[in-house]
Amino acid sequence: MLLLNKFPAWLSAFALLLLTQEPVSTSEVTACGVAVDPPANIEITDPGFLGYLSIHWTLPTSLQNLTGCTVRYQLRYYDTYEERWRSVRTVKLTYAAQFDPEKPIKVRILTVLKCACTNGTEVQGEEKEWVYTPEPTGVAESRIRDFHCVYYGKEYMECTWESGPGQPPDSQHYLYYWHREMDETKECPEYIIFSEGRRGCRFPRESLLEFSKFNLCVNGSSPAGSLKMAYFSIEVQNYVKPTVVSSVHVSEIDGELKLDWSPPSGQVPEHCLEYEVESSTTMENGKQKQENMVLQNLEDTSYSVPREVESQKTCFRIRSKVNMYCADGGFWSDWSQTKCTENMETQCIPKLTYLGLVGLVVIGIAGVIILCLSLWILKKISIKKINKKDALYTLYKEKVNETMPTILSPIFK
Ligand SMILES: *[C@@H]1O[C@H](CO)[C@@H](O)[C@H](O)[C@H]1NC(C)=O
Ligand SMILES: *[C@@H]1O[C@H](CO)[C@@H](O)[C@H](O)[C@H]1NC(C)=O
Ligand SMILES: *[C@@H]1O[C@H](CO)[C@@H](O)[C@H](O)[C@H]1NC(C)=O
């Protein structure tokens, strides 16, 4: 009872409620002359781990003096997250299980007896069921919505949410979390804050624990009262989103298109990744062909495909996800950059020839025009020069005729 002081008020009431519901009627089932009653003093307590509750019970009084028997208990409880009954058998007087504190908690328990006097066959007592429906508290419609978590490259996790439709103004949100290696819940290490207020939490890798329940709770306060609590329980390894695949390289060897890439950076082990390759091929007739291929070959970061005869150009992009050998779920990474084959020979040569031909013709015509023009200009210049020379000569002759004997004159003709 001392512990109860630590628990939230509703759960203290809950534990007491279960105690008062203790069955008083004895079981119809008997073995070796005693009634096989259900366990006694059933109590469900909340150590404050956001839905990870402890169930305790004691041996029924009718079986206290029985010798030569083994007593076991069969406990069934409704897993509100998975929406199915789970069953365990134990010789212990306690069991801890994960519940969604927002939903009714249902527990069924019975005693299983195996004695020498029953020739070693098992006798099951009557099953008793307890159901607890939590009282709704908090401002109506104030529960947060669209809560989801993404564990980026196994380096850090972000959980984000939207505010409830009925959230009063000036509300403040709080996130608390717990996993089994923590002694108590802790508040979010780093809130993601938008102009509207806290809308997410960022967890560094060190604060997370894989392959174990990771419990979260988002509650809040406002001038109009506290907000409705929202509880979540996840296993973080199922929420991994790998980083983008980088260094994608395409090559063509002997009619084969080969794609190579490097595994995404981050903490996801290489053998835990699968890849999806998307190829889009442009055919000679201009049509597009798209194909997607999921590759589960462990640790293989290359992919080959024969080049289609009528293809002009093929473009690839690639993304990755944690495979089924390492987790039950996960998110696809963003697509890598698109990488295409170089233009194929079959198409680029005719294109070049055609372009070349047009070019040559243009250059040829231009050449001819320029040649004609230059010839014409040259001719013009030389004619002018001759004219000039002639004038000079006449002038000179006149002078010579005046001063020189006529015998020398033939030289200047
Ligand atoms: C068990 O034995 C004790 C003492 O030996 C006795 O007081 C008690 O009544 C017995 N209980 C039952 C259920 O027979
Ligand atoms: C146990 O076995 C014996 C013989 O093997 C038999 O006589 C007896 O009826 C059996 N008892 C029960 C409860 O099955
Ligand atoms: C929110 O929940 C945590 C953990 O249960 C609790 O310690 C805290 O007081 C709650 N805050 C509000 C405002 O309800």
Side-chain angles (χ1 to χ4, degrees):
M1 280 296 132
L2 200 71
L3 273 173
L4 284 177
N5 296 335
K6 263 180 74 183
F7 306 148
W10 70 267
L11 270 162
S12 315
F14 172 34
L16 289 169
L17 179 109
L18 287 173
L19 288 168
T20 55
Q21 271 197 356
E22 185 61 32
V24 280
S25 63
T26 50
S27 174
E28 304 283 301
V29 182
T30 57
C32 309
V34 296
V36 188
D37 285 337
N41 303 315
I42 294 168
E43 199 180 294
I44 300 180
T45 52
D46 181 9
F49 299 151
L50 313 175
Y52 191 70
L53 306 181
S54 297
I55 307 157
H56 314 270
W57 58 90
T58 59
L59 182 72
T61 44
S62 61
L63 301 177
Q64 262 163 13
N65 293 343
L66 202 63
T67 52
C69 295
T70 58
V71 180
R72 290 203 295 165
Y73 306 95
Q74 178 175 291
L75 176 78
R76 295 205 292 149
Y77 64 95
Y78 193 69
D79 185 332
T80 29
Y81 286 112
E82 301 254 308
E83 298 194 323
R84 67 182 182 91
W85 286 93
R86 288 181 177 276
S87 193
V88 287
R89 275 192 182 185
T90 178
V91 295
K92 292 182 187 162
L93 296 169
T94 178
Y95 189 78
Q98 182 65 41
F99 294 89
D100 180 352
E102 291 180 74
K103 301 217 178 103
I105 290 161
K106 293 180 202 166
V107 174
R108 290 174 182 174
I109 191 160
L110 60 79
T111 307
V112 181
L113 213 59
K114 198 169 162 184
C115 300
C117 62
T118 60
N119 280 355
T121 57
E122 277 181 348
V123 179
Q124 286 192 11
E126 256 176 44
E127 189 174 57
K128 286 280 166 191
E129 184 183 70
W130 287 268
V131 178
Y132 173 73
T133 308
E135 285 287 315
T137 56
V139 177
E141 302 280 294
S142 64
R143 187 190 185 274
I144 57 139
R145 295 178 299 174
D146 299 335
F147 184 87
H148 61 266
C149 299
V150 181
Y151 191 6
Y152 291 97
K154 274 201 184 184
E155 289 178 308
Y156 64 94
M157 184 168 82
E158 280 185 4
C159 295
T160 53
W161 61 82
E162 296 294 327
S163 57
Q167 179 177 299
D170 300 320
S171 296
Q172 175 77 294
H173 287 151
Y174 304 92
L175 180 143
Y176 290 86
Y177 71 101
W178 177 85
H179 59 68
R180 69 176 149 76
E181 289 185 359
M182 292 165 67
D183 295 332
E184 55 184 10
T185 56
K186 277 192 185 151
E187 200 180 341
C188 167
E190 186 190 338
Y191 283 108
I192 299 166
I193 299 163
F194 291 123
S195 56
E196 319 93 77
R198 293 172 176 174
R199 288 295 176 271
C201 179
R202 192 181 158 113
F203 299 90
R205 184 179 161 83
E206 307 76 59
S207 61
L208 304 172
L209 185 69
E210 288 183 27
F211 297 98
S212 176
K213 297 282 179 211
F214 189 83
N215 292 347
L216 302 128
C217 154
V218 181
N219 57 15
S221 59
S222 80
S226 59
L227 309 186
K228 271 192 195 301
M229 296 255 223
Y231 290 92
F232 309 93
S233 182
I234 65 171
E235 294 206 9
V236 297
Q237 79 278 1
N238 296 334
Y239 292 81
V240 175
K241 179 177 177 174
T243 50
V244 174
V245 174
S246 60
S247 8
V248 183
H249 180 72
V250 184
S251 54
E252 188 187 351
I253 306 153
D254 300 332
E256 279 246 307
L257 302 181
K258 189 155 186 278
L259 192 64
D260 297 283
W261 62 90
S262 308
S265 65
Q267 302 290 330
V268 186
E270 273 184 51
H271 69 266
C272 283
L273 290 165
E274 67 180 33
Y275 297 96
E276 183 178 1
V277 173
E278 186 186 270
S279 66
S280 21
T281 303
T282 312
M283 306 304 281
E284 264 171 14
N285 57 12
K287 282 212 175 111
Q288 290 279 339
K289 218 171 118 180
Q290 192 180 306
E291 271 178 319
N292 287 61
M293 178 74 79
V294 174
L295 310 170
Q296 279 165 336
N297 294 2
L298 301 179
E299 296 186 61
D300 192 2
T301 56
S302 70
Y303 171 69
S304 292
V305 63
R307 185 172 80 76
E308 287 187 52
V309 186
E310 307 232 301
S311 68
Q312 282 195 334
K313 184 180 171 189
T314 305
C315 292
F316 296 96
R317 56 181 193 162
I318 183 161
R319 59 181 184 171
S320 74
K321 189 173 161 247
V322 172
N323 63 29
M324 62 192 236
Y325 306 104
C326 293
D328 292 334
F331 303 108
W332 282 109
S333 71
D334 293 332
W335 285 106
S336 70
Q337 277 192 321
T338 303
K339 283 288 165 77
C340 301
T341 52
E342 300 294 317
N343 280 351
M344 301 297 177
E345 283 179 9
T346 44
Q347 57 141 153
C348 56
I349 281 179
K351 226 177 197 173
L352 262 183
T353 322
Y354 176 71
L355 267 178
L357 262 171
V358 171
L360 271 176
V361 168
V362 170
I363 290 166
I365 291 171
V368 167
I369 291 171
I370 288 167
L371 198 75
C372 293
L373 220 74
S374 8
L375 278 174
W376 180 74
I377 289 167
L378 263 172
K379 209 178 156 195
K380 272 261 158 141
I381 290 170
S382 57
I383 286 168
K384 264 193 189 156
K385 265 191 181 156
I386 288 163
N387 289 349
K388 244 185 182 168
K389 224 174 158 185
D390 279 359
L392 270 172
Y393 175 70
T394 333
L395 221 117
Y396 177 77
K397 218 176 127 186
E398 276 169 15
K399 280 261 170 182
V400 167
N401 284 349
E402 277 170 23
T403 49
M404 281 216 179
T406 36
I407 323 134
L408 291 172
S409 62
I411 302 167
F412 293 102
K413 270 206 173 158

Coordinates of all heavy atoms in Angstrom, one line a residue, residues 195-258:
S195 N 6.2 27.4 -34.5 CA 5.6 28.6 -34.0 C 4.3 28.3 -33.1 O 4.0 29.1 -32.2 CB 5.2 29.5 -35.2 OG 4.3 28.8 -36.0
E196 N 3.6 27.2 -33.4 CA 2.4 26.9 -32.6 C 2.8 26.3 -31.2 O 1.9 26.1 -30.4 CB 1.5 25.9 -33.3 CG 1.4 26.1 -34.8 CD 2.4 25.3 -35.6 OE1 2.2 24.0 -35.7 OE2 3.4 25.9 -36.0
G197 N 4.1 25.9 -31.0 CA 4.5 25.3 -29.8 C 5.2 24.0 -30.0 O 5.7 23.8 -31.1
R198 N 5.3 23.2 -29.0 CA 6.0 21.9 -29.1 C 5.2 21.0 -30.0 O 4.1 20.7 -29.7 CB 6.2 21.3 -27.7 CG 7.1 22.1 -26.8 CD 7.1 21.5 -25.4 NE 8.0 22.2 -24.5 CZ 8.1 22.1 -23.2 NH1 7.3 21.2 -22.6 NH2 9.0 22.7 -22.5
R199 N 5.9 20.5 -31.0 CA 5.2 19.5 -31.9 C 6.0 18.3 -32.2 O 5.8 17.5 -33.1 CB 4.9 20.2 -33.2 CG 3.8 21.3 -33.2 CD 2.5 20.6 -32.8 NE 1.4 21.6 -32.7 CZ 1.2 22.2 -31.5 NH1 1.8 21.9 -30.4 NH2 0.2 23.2 -31.4
G200 N 7.0 18.0 -31.4 CA 7.8 16.8 -31.5 C 8.9 16.7 -30.5 O 9.2 17.6 -29.8
C201 N 9.6 15.6 -30.6 CA 10.7 15.3 -29.7 C 11.8 14.6 -30.5 O 11.5 13.7 -31.3 CB 10.2 14.5 -28.5 SG 11.6 14.1 -27.4
R202 N 13.0 15.0 -30.2 CA 14.2 14.3 -30.8 C 14.9 13.6 -29.8 O 15.3 14.1 -28.8 CB 15.0 15.5 -31.4 CG 16.1 15.0 -32.4 CD 16.8 16.2 -32.8 NE 18.1 15.9 -33.3 CZ 18.5 15.9 -34.6 NH1 17.7 16.5 -35.5 NH2 19.7 15.6 -34.9
F203 N 15.1 12.3 -30.1 CA 15.8 11.4 -29.1 C 17.2 11.0 -29.7 O 17.3 10.5 -30.8 CB 15.1 10.1 -28.9 CG 13.7 10.2 -28.4 CD1 12.6 10.4 -29.2 CD2 13.5 10.2 -27.0 CE1 11.3 10.5 -28.7 CE2 12.2 10.3 -26.5 CZ 11.1 10.4 -27.3
P204 N 18.3 11.3 -29.0 CA 19.6 10.8 -29.5 C 19.6 9.3 -29.4 O 18.9 8.7 -28.6 CB 20.6 11.5 -28.6 CG 19.8 11.9 -27.4 CD 18.4 12.0 -27.7
R205 N 20.5 8.6 -30.1 CA 20.6 7.2 -30.2 C 20.8 6.6 -28.8 O 20.2 5.5 -28.4 CB 21.8 6.8 -31.0 CG 22.0 5.4 -31.3 CD 23.3 5.3 -32.2 NE 23.8 3.9 -32.2 CZ 23.4 2.9 -32.9 NH1 22.4 3.0 -33.6 NH2 24.0 1.7 -32.8
E206 N 21.5 7.3 -27.9 CA 21.8 6.7 -26.6 C 20.6 6.6 -25.7 O 20.6 5.9 -24.7 CB 22.9 7.6 -25.9 CG 24.1 7.9 -26.6 CD 23.9 9.0 -27.7 OE1 23.5 10.1 -27.4 OE2 24.1 8.7 -28.9
S207 N 19.6 7.4 -26.0 CA 18.4 7.4 -25.1 C 17.4 6.2 -25.5 O 16.4 6.0 -24.9 CB 17.6 8.7 -25.2 OG 17.2 9.0 -26.5
L208 N 17.7 5.5 -26.6 CA 16.8 4.5 -27.1 C 17.3 3.1 -26.8 O 18.4 2.9 -26.5 CB 16.7 4.6 -28.7 CG 16.3 6.0 -29.2 CD1 16.4 6.0 -30.7 CD2 14.9 6.4 -28.8
L209 N 16.3 2.2 -26.8 CA 16.6 0.8 -26.5 C 15.8 -0.1 -27.5 O 14.6 0.0 -27.6 CB 16.2 0.4 -25.1 CG 16.6 -1.1 -24.7 CD1 18.1 -1.2 -24.6 CD2 15.9 -1.4 -23.4
E210 N 16.6 -0.9 -28.3 CA 15.9 -1.7 -29.4 C 15.4 -3.0 -28.8 O 15.8 -3.5 -27.8 CB 16.9 -2.0 -30.5 CG 17.2 -0.8 -31.3 CD 18.2 -1.1 -32.5 OE1 18.1 -2.3 -32.9 OE2 18.9 -0.2 -32.9
F211 N 14.5 -3.6 -29.5 CA 13.9 -4.9 -29.2 C 13.4 -4.9 -27.8 O 13.6 -5.9 -27.0 CB 14.9 -6.0 -29.4 CG 15.3 -6.1 -30.9 CD1 16.5 -5.6 -31.4 CD2 14.5 -6.8 -31.8 CE1 16.8 -5.6 -32.7 CE2 14.8 -6.8 -33.1 CZ 15.9 -6.3 -33.6
S212 N 12.7 -3.9 -27.4 CA 12.1 -3.7 -26.1 C 11.0 -2.7 -26.2 O 11.1 -1.8 -27.1 CB 13.2 -3.3 -25.1 OG 12.7 -3.1 -23.9
K213 N 10.0 -2.8 -25.3 CA 9.0 -1.7 -25.4 C 9.6 -0.4 -25.1 O 10.4 -0.2 -24.2 CB 7.9 -2.0 -24.3 CG 7.2 -3.3 -24.5 CD 6.1 -3.2 -25.6 CE 5.4 -4.6 -25.8 NZ 5.0 -4.7 -27.2
F214 N 9.2 0.6 -26.0 CA 9.6 2.0 -25.8 C 8.3 2.7 -25.6 O 7.6 2.9 -26.6 CB 10.4 2.5 -27.0 CG 11.1 3.8 -26.8 CD1 12.3 3.9 -26.1 CD2 10.5 4.9 -27.2 CE1 12.9 5.1 -25.9 CE2 11.1 6.2 -27.0 CZ 12.3 6.3 -26.4
N215 N 8.0 3.1 -24.4 CA 6.7 3.7 -24.1 C 6.8 5.3 -24.1 O 7.8 5.8 -23.6 CB 6.3 3.3 -22.7 CG 5.9 1.8 -22.7 OD1 5.8 1.2 -23.7 ND2 5.7 1.3 -21.5
L216 N 5.8 5.9 -24.6 CA 5.8 7.3 -24.7 C 4.4 7.8 -24.3 O 3.4 7.1 -24.4 CB 5.9 7.7 -26.2 CG 7.2 7.3 -26.8 CD1 6.9 6.6 -28.1 CD2 8.1 8.4 -27.1
C217 N 4.4 9.0 -23.8 CA 3.2 9.6 -23.3 C 3.3 11.1 -23.6 O 4.3 11.7 -23.4 CB 3.0 9.4 -21.8 SG 2.0 10.6 -21.0
V218 N 2.2 11.7 -24.2 CA 2.2 13.1 -24.5 C 1.0 13.7 -23.7 O -0.1 13.2 -24.0 CB 2.1 13.5 -26.0 CG1 2.1 15.0 -26.2 CG2 3.3 12.8 -26.8
N219 N 1.2 14.5 -22.8 CA 0.1 15.2 -22.1 C 0.4 16.7 -22.2 O 1.3 17.1 -22.9 CB 0.0 14.7 -20.6 CG 1.3 14.8 -19.8 OD1 2.2 15.6 -20.2 ND2 1.4 14.2 -18.7
G220 N -0.4 17.4 -21.4 CA -0.3 18.9 -21.6 C -1.1 19.6 -20.5 O -2.0 19.0 -19.9
S221 N -0.8 20.9 -20.4 CA -1.5 21.7 -19.5 C -2.0 23.0 -20.2 O -1.4 23.3 -21.2 CB -0.6 22.1 -18.3 OG 0.5 22.8 -18.8
S222 N -3.0 23.5 -19.7 CA -3.6 24.8 -20.3 C -4.3 25.5 -19.3 O -4.7 24.9 -18.2 CB -4.5 24.4 -21.5 OG -5.8 24.1 -21.0
P223 N -4.6 26.8 -19.5 CA -5.3 27.6 -18.5 C -6.7 26.9 -18.2 O -7.3 27.0 -17.2 CB -5.5 29.0 -19.1 CG -4.3 29.0 -20.1 CD -4.1 27.7 -20.6
A224 N -7.2 26.2 -19.3 CA -8.6 25.6 -19.1 C -8.5 24.2 -18.5 O -9.6 23.6 -18.4 CB -9.2 25.5 -20.5
G225 N -7.4 23.7 -18.1 CA -7.2 22.4 -17.5 C -6.2 21.6 -18.2 O -5.7 22.0 -19.3
S226 N -6.0 20.4 -17.7 CA -5.0 19.5 -18.3 C -5.6 18.9 -19.6 O -6.8 18.7 -19.7 CB -4.5 18.4 -17.4 OG -5.6 17.7 -17.0
L227 N -4.7 18.6 -20.5 CA -5.1 18.0 -21.8 C -5.2 16.5 -21.6 O -4.6 15.9 -20.7 CB -4.1 18.3 -22.9 CG -3.6 19.7 -23.1 CD1 -2.7 19.9 -24.3 CD2 -4.9 20.6 -23.3
K228 N -5.9 15.8 -22.5 CA -6.1 14.4 -22.5 C -4.7 13.7 -22.7 O -4.0 14.1 -23.7 CB -7.1 13.9 -23.5 CG -8.5 13.9 -23.1 CD -9.3 13.1 -24.1 CE -10.8 13.4 -23.9 NZ -11.3 13.0 -22.6
M229 N -4.4 12.7 -21.9 CA -3.1 12.0 -22.1 C -3.2 11.1 -23.3 O -4.2 10.5 -23.6 CB -2.9 11.1 -20.9 CG -2.8 11.8 -19.6 SD -1.1 11.7 -19.2 CE -1.1 11.4 -17.5
A230 N -2.1 11.0 -24.0 CA -2.0 10.1 -25.2 C -0.8 9.2 -24.9 O 0.3 9.6 -24.6 CB -1.8 10.9 -26.5
Y231 N -1.1 7.8 -25.0 CA 0.0 6.8 -24.7 C 0.3 6.1 -26.0 O -0.5 5.8 -26.8 CB -0.5 5.8 -23.7 CG -0.6 6.4 -22.3 CD1 -1.9 7.0 -21.9 CD2 0.4 6.4 -21.4 CE1 -2.0 7.5 -20.6 CE2 0.3 7.0 -20.1 CZ -0.9 7.5 -19.8 OH -1.1 8.0 -18.5
F232 N 1.6 5.7 -26.1 CA 2.1 5.0 -27.3 C 3.2 4.0 -26.8 O 3.9 4.3 -25.8 CB 2.7 5.9 -28.3 CG 1.8 7.0 -28.7 CD1 1.9 8.2 -28.1 CD2 0.8 6.8 -29.6 CE1 1.0 9.3 -28.4 CE2 -0.1 7.9 -30.0 CZ 0.0 9.1 -29.3
S233 N 3.2 2.8 -27.4 CA 4.3 1.9 -27.1 C 4.8 1.3 -28.4 O 4.0 0.7 -29.1 CB 3.7 0.8 -26.2 OG 4.7 -0.1 -25.9
I234 N 6.1 1.5 -28.6 CA 6.6 1.1 -29.9 C 7.9 0.3 -29.6 O 8.4 0.2 -28.5 CB 7.0 2.3 -30.8 CG1 8.1 3.1 -30.2 CG2 5.7 3.1 -31.1 CD1 8.6 4.2 -31.1
E235 N 8.4 -0.4 -30.7 CA 9.7 -1.0 -30.6 C 10.5 -0.2 -31.7 O 10.2 -0.3 -32.9 CB 9.7 -2.5 -30.9 CG 8.9 -3.2 -29.8 CD 9.3 -4.7 -29.6 OE1 10.3 -5.1 -30.3 OE2 8.7 -5.4 -28.9
V236 N 11.5 0.5 -31.2 CA 12.1 1.5 -32.1 C 12.8 0.9 -33.4 O 12.9 1.6 -34.4 CB 13.2 2.4 -31.4 CG1 12.5 3.2 -30.3 CG2 14.3 1.6 -30.8
Q237 N 13.2 -0.4 -33.3 CA 13.9 -0.9 -34.5 C 12.9 -1.1 -35.7 O 13.4 -1.3 -36.8 CB 14.6 -2.3 -34.2 CG 13.6 -3.5 -34.1 CD 12.9 -3.6 -32.8 OE1 13.1 -2.8 -31.9 NE2 12.1 -4.6 -32.6
N238 N 11.6 -0.9 -35.4 CA 10.6 -1.1 -36.5 C 10.3 0.3 -37.2 O 9.4 0.4 -38.0 CB 9.4 -1.7 -36.0 CG 9.6 -3.1 -35.5 OD1 10.5 -3.8 -36.0 ND2 8.8 -3.6 -34.6
Y239 N 11.0 1.3 -36.8 CA 10.7 2.7 -37.3 C 11.9 3.3 -38.0 O 12.0 4.5 -38.1 CB 10.2 3.6 -36.1 CG 8.9 3.1 -35.6 CD1 8.8 2.0 -34.8 CD2 7.7 3.7 -36.1 CE1 7.5 1.5 -34.3 CE2 6.4 3.2 -35.7 CZ 6.4 2.1 -34.8 OH 5.1 1.7 -34.4
V240 N 12.8 2.5 -38.5 CA 14.0 3.0 -39.1 C 13.8 3.5 -40.5 O 13.1 2.8 -41.3 CB 15.1 1.9 -39.0 CG1 16.4 2.4 -39.7 CG2 15.5 1.5 -37.6
K241 N 14.3 4.7 -40.8 CA 14.3 5.2 -42.2 C 15.8 5.4 -42.5 O 16.4 6.3 -42.0 CB 13.6 6.5 -42.3 CG 13.6 7.1 -43.7 CD 12.7 8.3 -43.7 CE 12.8 8.9 -45.1 NZ 11.9 10.0 -45.3
P242 N 16.4 4.6 -43.4 CA 17.8 4.7 -43.8 C 18.0 6.1 -44.5 O 17.1 6.7 -45.0 CB 18.1 3.6 -44.7 CG 17.0 2.6 -44.5 CD 15.8 3.4 -44.1
T243 N 19.2 6.5 -44.4 CA 19.6 7.8 -45.1 C 19.6 7.5 -46.7 O 19.6 6.3 -47.1 CB 21.0 8.3 -44.7 OG1 21.9 7.3 -44.8 CG2 20.9 8.8 -43.3
V244 N 19.7 8.6 -47.4 CA 19.7 8.4 -48.9 C 20.9 7.6 -49.4 O 22.0 7.8 -48.9 CB 19.6 9.8 -49.5 CG1 19.7 9.7 -51.1 CG2 18.4 10.5 -49.2
V245 N 20.7 6.7 -50.4 CA 21.8 6.0 -51.0 C 22.6 7.0 -51.8 O 22.0 7.8 -52.6 CB 21.2 4.9 -51.9 CG1 22.3 4.2 -52.7 CG2 20.4 3.9 -51.1
S246 N 23.9 6.9 -51.6 CA 24.7 7.9 -52.4 C 25.7 7.2 -53.3 O 25.6 5.9 -53.4 CB 25.5 8.7 -51.4 OG 26.3 7.9 -50.6
S247 N 26.5 7.9 -54.0 CA 27.4 7.4 -55.0 C 26.9 6.3 -55.9 O 27.4 5.2 -56.0 CB 28.8 6.9 -54.4 OG 28.8 6.9 -53.1
V248 N 25.8 6.7 -56.6 CA 25.2 5.8 -57.6 C 26.0 5.9 -58.9 O 26.3 7.0 -59.3 CB 23.7 6.1 -57.8 CG1 23.1 5.1 -58.8 CG2 23.0 6.1 -56.5
H249 N 26.3 4.8 -59.5 CA 27.1 4.8 -60.7 C 26.6 3.9 -61.7 O 26.3 2.7 -61.4 CB 28.6 4.4 -60.3 CG 29.5 4.5 -61.5 ND1 29.9 5.6 -62.1 CD2 30.1 3.5 -62.2 CE1 30.7 5.3 -63.1 NE2 30.8 4.0 -63.2
V250 N 26.4 4.4 -62.9 CA 25.9 3.5 -64.0 C 26.9 3.3 -65.1 O 27.6 4.2 -65.5 CB 24.6 4.2 -64.7 CG1 24.0 3.2 -65.7 CG2 23.6 4.5 -63.6
S251 N 27.1 2.1 -65.5 CA 28.0 1.8 -66.6 C 27.4 0.8 -67.6 O 26.5 0.0 -67.2 CB 29.3 1.3 -66.1 OG 29.1 0.2 -65.3
E252 N 28.0 0.7 -68.8 CA 27.5 -0.3 -69.7 C 28.6 -1.1 -70.3 O 29.6 -0.5 -70.8 CB 26.8 0.4 -70.9 CG 26.1 -0.6 -71.8 CD 25.5 0.0 -73.1 OE1 25.5 1.2 -73.2 OE2 25.1 -0.9 -73.9
I253 N 28.6 -2.4 -70.0 CA 29.6 -3.3 -70.5 C 29.0 -4.4 -71.3 O 28.1 -5.1 -70.7 CB 30.5 -3.8 -69.3 CG1 31.0 -2.7 -68.5 CG2 31.6 -4.7 -69.9 CD1 31.3 -3.1 -67.1
D254 N 29.3 -4.6 -72.5 CA 28.9 -5.7 -73.4 C 27.3 -5.8 -73.3 O 26.8 -6.9 -73.1 CB 29.5 -7.0 -72.9 CG 31.0 -7.0 -73.0 OD1 31.5 -6.2 -73.9 OD2 31.7 -7.7 -72.3
G255 N 26.7 -4.7 -73.5 CA 25.2 -4.8 -73.6 C 24.5 -5.0 -72.3 O 23.3 -5.2 -72.2
E256 N 25.3 -4.9 -71.2 CA 24.7 -5.0 -69.8 C 24.8 -3.6 -69.2 O 25.8 -3.0 -69.2 CB 25.5 -6.0 -69.0 CG 25.2 -7.4 -69.2 CD 24.6 -8.1 -68.0 OE1 25.2 -7.9 -66.9 OE2 23.5 -8.6 -68.1
L257 N 23.7 -3.2 -68.5 CA 23.7 -2.0 -67.7 C 24.0 -2.4 -66.3 O 23.3 -3.2 -65.7 CB 22.4 -1.3 -67.8 CG 21.9 -0.9 -69.2 CD1 20.6 -0.2 -69.2 CD2 23.0 0.0 -69.9
K258 N 25.0 -1.8 -65.7 CA 25.4 -2.2 -64.4 C 25.3 -0.9 -63.5 O 25.7 0.2 -63.8 CB 26.8 -2.7 -64.4 CG 27.3 -3.3 -63.0 CD 28.4 -4.3 -63.2 CE 28.7 -5.0 -61.9 NZ 29.6 -4.2 -61.0

